[in-house]
């Protein structure tokens, strides 16, 4: 093969033969390294996947190229936490293989052993993208040997505050924190059964118009049961679907007994939420407490039908007593499987075998039946020799 090479004067990228001739890197991986290496520093503030998209690499091809570059040390990744509790992925790409220690020095902005940070760009989208840096071979003696002191990356920051809901708010079923019970202090003081039955002092005394006996029966339910706690969560979460259904903690605990009765009758929390939020008045809800109390009472589903008690299976029949076999041979006992059996299994099979053998012999000894013509002639002769029959003609 003849080769004609013209050295480019400008617009070229230096690349080592070890990268071009690497036997375990696919062509997409090599082109990706060369593409990122040839970019100016201002264009490197993108994730590696965006550079691959610029080269029209499909998802599967990019994943394969990235996996090979990670395996051979050309690409290193690390997840780090940033302000606001978000995370981002920092990526370092090199045109020479780097070890984990060398990549860690480049993360810190310090030169690795024999390498220098040629260019690096930080992404503007924090939270899910990353940083692509480019490390190249430094000139001999350009960097002094690092000291033995362990480098500290960044500066200490204070604890992040915020992002948590108050104790009296609940987002629905996706939380594992049940509503707080303010009556725990009264239980510790030994106020009696009244404080134990009501989570908030005086919550049962809040009058709800239109409840009547329904509120009294719901108040008898224990406030710490699973159905009451689940119903309270559903009531507190209604404000996330309709703002006008906002309930306070005391109001939610007042209606929790009625809502818990829905759950005891087989209604799921999602269906209960839908029944309370659908079909609201066009003029709006004036009182969330009164509206929800009226709807909980008026739309209360019927109790589930009582399932009949399963009939216990009848006991298995007792085995029959041993009897003497009526078959030939020595006298022996057997247990029949049916009341009318008189012979054991072997004797019964022998009797059946003898019976059918006798039937076969009788069948072979019987004369062959006459053909139909001869039978017809014989019957005609018998008819002709009988008393006079007028056959006509």
């Amino acid at each position: 093969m003849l080769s004609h090479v013209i050295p480019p004067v400008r617009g070229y990228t230096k690349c080592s033969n070890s990268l071009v001739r690497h036997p375990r890197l696919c062509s997409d991986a090599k082109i990706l390294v060369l593409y990122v290496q040839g970019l100016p520093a201002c264009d490197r503030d993108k994730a590696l996947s965006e550079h691959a998209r610029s080269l029209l690499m499909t998802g599967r091809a990019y994943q394969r190229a990235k996996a090979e570059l990670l395996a051979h040390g050309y690409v290193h990744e690390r997840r780090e936490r940033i302000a606001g509790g978000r995370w981002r992925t920092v990526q370092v790409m090199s045109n020479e293989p780097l070890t984990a220690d060398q990549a860690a020095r480049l993360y810190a902005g310090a030169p690795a052993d024999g390498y220098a940070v040629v260019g690096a760009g930080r992404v503007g989208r924090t939270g899910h993208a990353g940083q692509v840096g480019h490390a190249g071979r430094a000139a001999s003696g350009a960097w002094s040997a690092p000291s033995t002191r362990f480098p500290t990356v960044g500066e200490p920051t204070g604890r992040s505050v915020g992002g948590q809901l108050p104790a009296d708010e609940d987002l629905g079923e996706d939380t594992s924190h049940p509503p707080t019970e303010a009556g725990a202090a009264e239980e510790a003081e030994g106020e009696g059964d009244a404080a134990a039955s009501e989570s908030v002092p005086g919550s049962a005394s809040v009058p709800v118009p239109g409840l009547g006996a329904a509120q009294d029966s719901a108040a008898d339910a224990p406030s710490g049961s699973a159905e009451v706690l689940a119903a309270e969560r559903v009531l507190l979460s209604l404000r996330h679907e309709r703002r006008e259904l906002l309930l306070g903690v005391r109001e939610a605990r007042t209606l929790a007994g009625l809502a818990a009765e829905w759950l005891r009758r087989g209604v799921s929390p999602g269906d209960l939420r839908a029944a309370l939020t659908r079909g609201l008045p066009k003029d709006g809800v004036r009182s969330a407490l009164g509206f929800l109390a009226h709807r909980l009472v008026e739309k209360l589903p019927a109790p589930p039908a009582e399932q009949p008690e399963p009939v216990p299976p009848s006991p298995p029949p007792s085995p029959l007593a041993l009897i003497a076999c009526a078959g030939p041979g020595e006298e022996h006992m057997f247990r029949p499987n049916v009341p009318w059996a008189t012979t054991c299994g072997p004797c019964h099979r022998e009797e059946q075998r003898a019976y059918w053998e006798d039937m076969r012999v009788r069948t072979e000894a019987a004369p062959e039946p006459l053909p139909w013509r001869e039978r017809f002639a014989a019957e005609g002769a018998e008819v002709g020799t009988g008393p006079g029959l007028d056959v006509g003609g």
Side-chain angles (χ1 to χ4, degrees):
M1 180 183 67
L2 299 177
S3 176
H4 178 67
V5 179
I6 299 177
V9 179
R10 57 185 176 275
Y12 62 91
T13 301
K14 292 184 178 180
C15 179
S16 62
N17 290 331
S18 60
L19 175 62
V20 176
R21 301 171 184 174
H22 200 292
R24 297 190 177 183
L25 289 181
C26 63
S27 58
D28 290 336
K30 299 174 183 178
I31 293 174
L32 190 57
V33 173
L34 294 177
Y35 177 80
V36 176
Q37 181 183 351
L39 291 175
C42 59
D43 293 338
R44 293 182 188 146
D45 55 347
K46 297 179 181 179
L48 191 59
S49 58
E50 298 188 17
H51 293 303
R53 194 177 298 111
S54 301
L55 294 173
L56 302 180
M57 285 189 187
T58 60
R60 190 179 298 274
Y62 164 68
Q63 293 297 335
R64 177 189 174 189
K66 179 183 175 182
E68 293 179 357
L69 293 176
L70 286 171
H72 295 90
Y74 288 92
V75 173
H76 292 265
E77 288 186 338
R78 186 182 68 176
R79 287 176 57 83
E80 63 180 19
R81 190 171 183 175
I82 60 177
R86 294 176 295 175
W87 293 80
R88 71 175 176 185
T89 301
V90 181
Q91 298 174 331
V92 170
M93 171 176 280
S94 172
N95 61 345
E96 293 288 342
L98 298 179
T99 63
D101 295 338
Q102 293 173 337
R105 293 179 180 274
L106 292 177
Y107 286 136
D113 299 334
Y115 294 90
V117 180
V118 176
R122 186 170 298 273
V123 298
R125 308 186 306 274
T126 59
H128 61 275
Q131 171 182 349
V132 177
H134 170 217
R137 177 73 68 176
S140 177
W143 298 95
S144 60
S147 62
T148 57
R149 182 178 61 85
F150 185 80
T152 303
V153 181
E155 296 182 359
T157 59
R159 297 180 60 183
S160 59
V161 180
Q164 300 293 333
L165 291 175
D168 58 345
E169 295 187 7
D170 201 331
L171 290 179
E173 301 176 11
D174 297 335
T175 175
S176 60
H177 302 285
T180 58
E181 296 187 5
E186 294 187 9
E187 294 178 6
E189 296 175 0
E191 292 294 337
D193 296 337
S197 62
E198 298 296 334
S199 300
V200 178
S203 60
S205 62
V206 177
V208 181
L211 290 187
Q215 184 180 9
D216 299 336
S217 61
D220 297 337
S223 60
S225 62
E227 292 84 359
V228 174
L229 295 178
E232 188 174 342
R233 294 191 188 99
V234 173
L235 293 172
L236 289 173
S237 65
L238 296 179
R239 67 183 184 87
H240 297 289
E241 297 192 16
R242 301 298 295 265
R243 188 65 182 175
E244 52 192 337
L245 298 180
L246 172 62
L247 290 176
V249 178
R250 289 179 57 124
E251 295 175 334
R253 290 176 182 173
T254 302
L255 301 177
L258 290 173
E261 185 62 27
W262 286 59
L263 302 181
R264 296 188 189 97
R265 298 190 178 189
V267 180
S268 65
D271 293 339
L272 174 60
R273 184 182 296 106
L276 297 178
T277 55
R278 291 177 182 173
L280 299 184
K282 296 181 179 180
D283 299 337
V285 177
R286 299 180 181 179
S287 173
L289 178 62
F291 172 79
L292 293 176
H294 180 269
R295 180 160 286 193
L296 286 172
V297 173
E298 295 298 328
K299 289 194 173 185
L300 182 65
E306 296 183 359
Q307 298 293 336
E309 296 184 0
V311 179
S314 58
S318 58
L320 300 177
L322 293 173
I323 61 175
C325 179
E330 298 181 358
E331 182 179 2
H332 55 278
M333 309 293 290
F334 79 101
R335 192 181 303 278
N337 56 352
V338 290
W340 56 84
T342 58
T343 56
C344 62
C347 294
H348 179 71
R349 289 191 292 271
E350 189 64 28
E351 289 181 356
Q352 293 294 318
R353 191 178 297 110
Y355 171 78
W356 289 109
E357 181 65 21
D358 181 62
M359 291 293 295
R360 185 185 64 81
V361 173
R362 290 182 181 182
T363 304
E364 292 178 355
E368 292 291 335
L370 295 176
W372 69 272
R373 295 180 182 275
E374 296 180 2
R375 289 202 313 272
F376 186 78
E379 292 180 0
E382 292 179 358
V383 172
T385 58
L389 294 176
D390 187 8
V391 296

